[in-house]
Amino acid sequence: MTIYNLYVFDRNGTCLYYESWNRRKESNMSKDEEFKLMYGMLYSIKSFVARMSPSESKDGFLNYRTSKYKLHFYETPTGLKFIMNTDLSVGTTRDVLFNIYSKIYVEYVVKNPLCRLDEPIQSELFASKLDTYIRSLNIFN
Amino acid sequence: MAIFSVYILNRAGGLIYHYDHFTPKSEIEKTFSYPLDITLREDDKLVVIFGERDGIKVGHALLAVNGEPVTGKRLPDGREAMEVIKNQENYPISLKFGRLKLTTNERIMLASMFHPLYAISAKLSPEQRSSGIEVLEADSFKLHCFQTHTGLKFIVLTDPKQLGMDIFLKKIYELYSDFALKNPFYSLDMPIRCELFDTNLQKALDQSERSNLYSSNPSLA
């Protein structure tokens, strides 16, 4: 099991944070373009799922998998989006993404008055806490 | 446990076949007193945007007023449904809400929307040589997609707990090859209108659901 990378988007589509751990293939475009493509894809998937759904859904889109990786999606009611790519053997990671939000993002970004909420996260403390948390997960290695 | 619908997309993302197998019922009729505690948005239809109650959910559309069906925003006699709802004299009033069924145009649009999503998901892969979306999971359904070497996509929407769909997708491919492709009146990449394909697909759907029932419930086997 392994975790490839993590994206954090705010509700306007700004990529607040990106980190990769075991990524084996870089897309042949700039990071900025990649973030836009990723956000655009998620936005479309969300509306696709809302329209396709045969009954009412609460959380909507949860994850998708291809032949090589699995993308996990978690959105807070405020529109913050956490996206994690892992390999196929990983089950649900809702609790992991929720913990990143509640125990790391809220603690080290929202509670830090020097962090602007609509800009990419600069805080080193956030980065190191997140890295420690991700590396401590048993789905990481 | 259910299979909701089957879609077939051609190489260009065009919808060439769709079949609805099972649609969960979601229509609720209730009598309301003035003033209405549900907020409706007016565009080409009346959609609930605020005030969920008694099973009426955000996103539901107004289907009928006092038993008379609403088409678009109007009642059969030509009155605007919104005017009727706003008028206190018409209360108590019985309103029916429910999910709107997808129109054929919307289905075509959604199908061509899935096509680029499939391509982007392959492009954004952190791992070499990834395919596009094979399974997409939401809380109310699961989408299974199988792309053939020729670029055709078979998509099945099921209940989140439904199993054994990869075999079923291959089965549809087999049916497509046997009954659509071998039909001399079928032109490639065009909508499939073929009775034999329809009947065989239905048979396969029923069979797949039954076998799934047995495998998930050993007492029935």
Side-chain angles (χ1 to χ4, degrees):
Chain A
M1 295 206 247
T2 181
I3 294 173
Y4 295 126
N5 50 8
L6 179 94
Y7 300 79
V8 181
F9 289 100
D10 76 354
R11 60 174 174 170
N12 302 315
T14 316
C15 186
L16 298 181
Y17 192 76
Y18 172 77
E19 180 65 63
S20 79
W21 286 274
N22 294 312
R23 188 169 180 165
R24 301 205 179 109
K25 176 192 159 238
E26 292 296 329
S27 52
N28 47 3
M29 53 184 134
S30 71
K31 274 280 158 292
D32 223 30
E33 277 177 69
E34 186 189 307
F35 297 154
K36 279 183 197 162
L37 190 64
M38 176 57 96
Y39 188 79
M41 179 182 74
L42 293 169
Y43 191 87
S44 310
I45 288 183
K46 268 183 62 191
S47 66
F48 177 80
V49 164
R51 302 283 291 285
M52 267 311 221
S53 173
S55 55
E56 284 70 35
S57 55
K58 224 170 57 221
D59 302 321
F61 172 52
L62 301 174
N63 62 60
Y64 74 64
R65 63 180 173 77
T66 72
S67 63
K68 288 286 161 66
Y69 75 102
K70 187 169 174 184
L71 177 142
H72 307 258
F73 176 79
Y74 173 71
E75 185 177 19
T76 70
T78 48
L80 214 63
K81 293 168 185 67
F82 293 83
I83 294 99
M84 189 159 83
N85 287 324
T86 66
D87 71 350
L88 294 172
S89 53
V90 176
T92 173
T93 57
R94 256 191 115 59
D95 48 338
V96 171
L97 293 174
F98 179 74
N99 279 341
I100 293 174
Y101 167 60
S102 66
K103 300 219 167 79
I104 303 172
Y105 178 80
V106 171
E107 291 297 322
Y108 301 107
V109 176
V110 179
K111 291 188 181 174
N112 180 349
L114 298 175
C115 277
R116 298 240 357 207
L117 291 182
D118 51 354
E119 280 170 10
I121 299 165
Q122 307 287 339
S123 162
E124 273 172 36
L125 184 62
F126 172 80
S128 73
K129 290 283 177 191
L130 181 68
D131 192 65
T132 319
Y133 177 66
I134 293 285
R135 283 175 194 280
S136 74
L137 294 169
N138 54 9
I139 53 169
F140 180 75
N141 38 51
Chain B
M1 288 290 198
I3 297 173
F4 296 132
S5 42
V6 177
Y7 292 77
I8 302 177
L9 273 58
N10 68 16
R11 286 170 289 182
L15 185 65
I16 56 171
Y17 188 82
H18 94 256
Y19 173 71
D20 277 339
H21 187 61
F22 171 76
T23 334
K25 271 265 168 285
S26 69
E27 285 183 4
I28 290 133
E29 186 150 21
K30 260 197 74 74
T31 308
F32 294 89
S33 53
Y34 193 81
L36 192 65
D37 49 4
I38 291 176
T39 316
L40 296 169
R41 186 190 63 212
E42 280 186 83
D43 37 20
D44 49 343
K45 46 201 174 249
L46 295 166
V47 182
V48 178
I49 52 167
F50 183 74
E52 293 194 349
R53 54 171 288 192
D54 308 320
I56 298 165
K57 296 273 167 55
V58 166
H60 275 181
L62 181 64
L63 301 175
V65 177
N66 289 331
E68 294 179 81
V70 179
T71 36
K73 291 193 294 182
R74 288 178 187 278
L75 290 169
D77 54 10
R79 286 179 302 165
E80 289 267 352
M82 204 60 198
E83 300 296 314
V84 177
I85 291 169
K86 276 180 184 155
N87 192 344
Q88 190 170 359
E89 288 164 19
N90 294 322
Y91 282 78
I93 197 168
S94 156
L95 303 175
K96 186 154 95 178
F97 293 93
R99 276 186 77 84
L100 277 179
K101 288 194 81 178
L102 290 171
T103 63
T104 310
N105 272 336
E106 280 176 311
R107 278 180 211 278
I108 294 171
M109 200 200 79
L110 287 169
S112 48
M113 201 164 148
F114 184 75
H115 193 69
L117 292 178
Y118 186 93
I120 297 172
S121 64
K123 194 162 170 58
L124 285 174
S125 167
E127 184 79 87
Q128 298 288 346
R129 285 189 294 279
S130 172
S131 74
I133 298 173
E134 282 183 347
V135 178
L136 185 149
E137 218 175 324
D139 60 348
S140 52
F141 73 95
K142 208 165 168 178
L143 178 150
H144 306 257
C145 174
F146 166 59
Q147 176 166 274
T148 70
H149 291 293
T150 48
L152 213 67
K153 284 190 194 70
F154 295 92
I155 296 170
V156 177
L157 259 63
T158 68
D159 188 273
K161 291 190 278 295
Q162 184 84 24
L163 300 166
M165 276 302 109
D166 32 351
I167 300 158
F168 179 69
L169 285 164
K170 306 252 156 63
K171 175 83 186 156
I172 308 178
Y173 186 24
E174 194 184 313
L175 294 176
Y176 168 80
S177 324
D178 278 347
F179 299 105
L181 281 185
K182 287 180 187 169
N183 181 348
F185 300 104
Y186 176 68
S187 51
L188 215 59
D189 286 346
M190 292 303 277
I192 303 168
R193 295 189 206 293
C194 180
E195 234 172 79
L196 267 177
F197 181 68
D198 287 340
T199 49
N200 280 287
L201 180 66
Q202 271 168 44
K203 227 181 279 170
L205 278 163
D206 292 336
Q207 207 172 27
S208 156
E209 277 190 332
R210 221 173 310 129
S211 69
N212 214 298
L213 193 68
Y214 289 143
S215 59
S216 61
N217 192 346
S219 64
L220 287 168

